[in-house]
Amino acid sequence: MKIHPSQVDRVLIFDTTLRDGEQSPGATLNVDEKLTIARQLARLGVDVIEAGFPFASPGDFEAVQRIAETVGTEEGPVICGLARATVQDIKAAAEALKPAVYGRIHTFIATSDIHLKYKLKKTRAEVLAIAEEMVALAKSYTEDVEFSPEDAGRSDPEFLYEVLARAIAAGATTINIPDTVGYITPSEFGALIKGIKDNVANVDQAVISVHGHNDLGLAVANFLEAVKNGARQLECTINGIGERAGNAALEELVMALHVRRQYFNPFFGRSPDSEAPLTHIDTRQIYKTSRLVSNLTGMLIQPNKAIVGSNAFAHESGIHQDGVLKNKLTYEIMDAQSIGLVDNQIVLGKHSGRNAFRARLKELGFELSEQDLNKAFIRFKDLADKKKEISDWDLEAIVKDETQTQVINGFHLERVQVSCGDHACPTATVTLRTPEGQELTDAAIGTGPVDAVYCAINRVINVPNRLIEFSVQSVTAGIDAIGEVTIRLQHEDRIYSGHAANTDIIVASAQAYVNALNRLYTVVQNQSHQPALNRSQPATV
Ligand code: KIV
Ligand code: ZN
């Protein structure tokens, strides 16, 4: 979808889950997982997907290229690649974005005195010249160029106006104002956006965008104040994941603009009662997208998280329950269905056939290859033998588990068996198939059944690591529910996550651990085989 600055009469949603979001410790995604998330973001209706930082690594380059190819269609969102204001970064972004119908290069350089003095070791005049030159270079590859003065929230506004004016004159069609360190407060951010509107002479030739971190928990509030003062693009992530305390959460921004439309409408020159949506997001896709991102990144959602937390629509106090039974409006400002949290329907059972299975998956938005469908159908039949009624959430759990979280050519869990109890020493035996196809069996004792399984797996895979997080959640209610296990482990200074689902939580725990170790193992293998990238500066943001 083509975006022209002069036609923006609503809020553009720029999703950076796959770039800034992936900078969360342990949230590393492989290319297939990024593609799955990108497809879902397109279904959600985001305007721009920042798919990655192509120069950062060959994996990032490939992910941006494949997303550009598959999701960057004529009707699809704009696909964006991040680039520092350097020739090599901009060229890499341009190359990776080539297959997209609408590709955007997002280039940035810091403008705060603190960054100039300690990080860049450059003068203001040098930064001005680089910004201008690199925006012009990006423009030689694509019409759609975004420029960010990094750490704008702590930059001198007068210098900021000058840099922005020069970037727009050189061809930037979006100017993004990042509160990189999450320092600014809502009224200050609103005033900064107003200052830009009032003092940058050519500002009408670009969309004003905002990007902000949540170090003080103010990112969403800051953005809403920015919208009131003229910002028309919001850079956000699903579940608010991202560097340090994360980014502004997409679901919170979108639902604030949706639920409080009457309040925000006048800032868009509309009558308060206008029913026209302020974003193009299909809000019924929010819950599903949130679960997908949480499962694939291993970043759990706190129960009291706004919009998508498990308690967000739960009423505990008797007074509230009584009120809601009499009229939902007493204590609910939005409907759970508006974010796609529909009643968990019972859809299939033991006698359901392959066609019914395929058709329901299609309705849920999963279009699987024949091979993945076969694998998922076997899992479904297996589950239907144990559990009489299968719901949509069960289906989602097995499909994601079977098709998305496995590392191809990794270790495969063949068997796991545990003996435990209050008078027994927990003992586990595991059999794993190695990437070379060899079956290895080992056994270990532990402080509990999961510990015993993990010790046995460690004896086979043998890569040092420390388990730092382990969580089990049930997908549905009931004693026969599927349990989803999410773990995070640390090796040296990196964190790896693993996720798996099964009605037997010991099997799910073993599988989640193998999934995380496979990610770790791939990185360790690549490090020992690949020559280091030839870079003059470290490729981190
Ligand atoms: O936080 C930040 O400043 C960024 C920029 C690259 C936009 O992520
Ligand atoms: Zn950021």
Side-chain angles (χ1 to χ4, degrees), residues 11-295:
V11 172
L12 299 170
I13 297 294
F14 175 111
D15 182 278
T16 182
T17 305
L18 297 174
R19 198 279 297 169
D20 209 316
E22 212 220 2
Q23 285 172 223
S24 317
T28 320
L29 298 160
N30 65 35
V31 175
D32 287 331
E33 290 167 338
K34 286 187 184 176
L35 206 55
T36 303
I37 292 178
R39 286 201 179 102
Q40 179 55 27
L41 290 173
R43 272 194 286 271
L44 178 66
V46 305
D47 298 283
V48 186
I49 294 178
E50 188 164 49
F53 180 9
F55 186 75
S57 72
D60 254 54
F61 184 93
E62 189 194 341
V64 175
Q65 198 173 42
R66 286 203 31 214
I67 292 169
E69 239 163 50
T70 12
V71 186
T73 58
E74 178 71 42
E75 301 74 39
V78 172
I79 309 297
C80 175
L82 184 71
R84 290 166 301 180
T86 67
V87 175
Q88 60 200 7
D89 277 37
I90 291 172
K91 282 190 172 165
E95 186 59 31
L97 290 168
K98 259 188 193 160
V101 176
Y102 301 110
R104 172 181 299 185
I105 298 178
H106 174 191
T107 187
F108 70 97
I109 187 162
T111 48
S112 66
D113 287 337
I114 202 159
H115 276 234
L116 261 62
K117 181 168 175 199
Y118 296 105
K119 187 181 86 170
L120 298 179
K121 302 191 189 339
K122 292 200 187 305
T123 63
R124 286 186 177 190
E126 284 171 318
V127 165
L128 262 179
I130 294 172
E132 185 168 31
E133 197 187 332
M134 291 302 122
V135 168
L137 176 66
K139 193 77 176 180
S140 70
Y141 293 107
T142 171
E143 237 333 276
D144 191 346
V145 175
E146 172 166 332
F147 171 73
S148 290
E150 191 191 7
D151 204 18
R154 291 189 302 170
S155 300
D156 169 8
E158 294 300 327
F159 179 52
L160 201 58
Y161 303 152
E162 213 180 330
V163 180
L164 293 173
R166 293 272 281 269
I168 296 171
T173 41
T174 301
I175 46 160
N176 178 47
I177 312 304
D179 178 24
T180 304
V181 290
Y183 177 74
I184 215 160
T185 65
S187 55
E188 286 171 327
F189 208 34
L192 180 62
I193 302 303
K194 184 173 180 326
I196 290 168
K197 278 209 92 149
D198 292 346
N199 294 290
V200 178
N202 51 3
V203 73
D204 290 347
Q205 294 164 36
V207 173
I208 302 179
S209 166
V210 286
H211 177 108
H213 286 266
N214 214 17
D215 299 67
L216 295 175
L218 295 174
V220 168
N222 284 341
F223 279 27
L224 294 175
E225 212 49 39
V227 164
K228 286 163 61 181
N229 285 281
R232 290 295 175 262
Q233 176 180 281
L234 305 181
E235 300 203 352
C236 44
T237 60
I238 302 295
N239 303 333
I241 64 171
E243 188 79 35
R244 303 185 311 280
N247 288 75
L250 180 148
E251 62 279 4
E252 295 176 22
L253 291 164
V254 168
M255 290 313 284
L257 291 169
H258 181 71
V259 172
R260 300 302 314 276
R261 202 165 45 214
Q262 288 199 335
Y263 172 74
F264 286 103
N265 271 336
F267 297 101
F268 291 78
R270 305 176 181 192
S271 108
D273 297 330
S274 166
E275 288 290 323
L278 286 171
T279 71
H280 273 184
I281 295 294
D282 175 357
T283 61
R284 288 158 312 164
Q285 294 286 335
I286 284 180
Y287 186 68
K288 186 173 173 187
T289 317
S290 160
R291 279 172 60 99
L292 178 71
V293 169
S294 170
N295 287 346

Side-chain angles (χ1 to χ4, degrees), residues 423-434:
H423 285 85
C425 172
T427 311
T429 311
V430 297
T431 303
L432 297 175
R433 191 161 19 89
T434 67

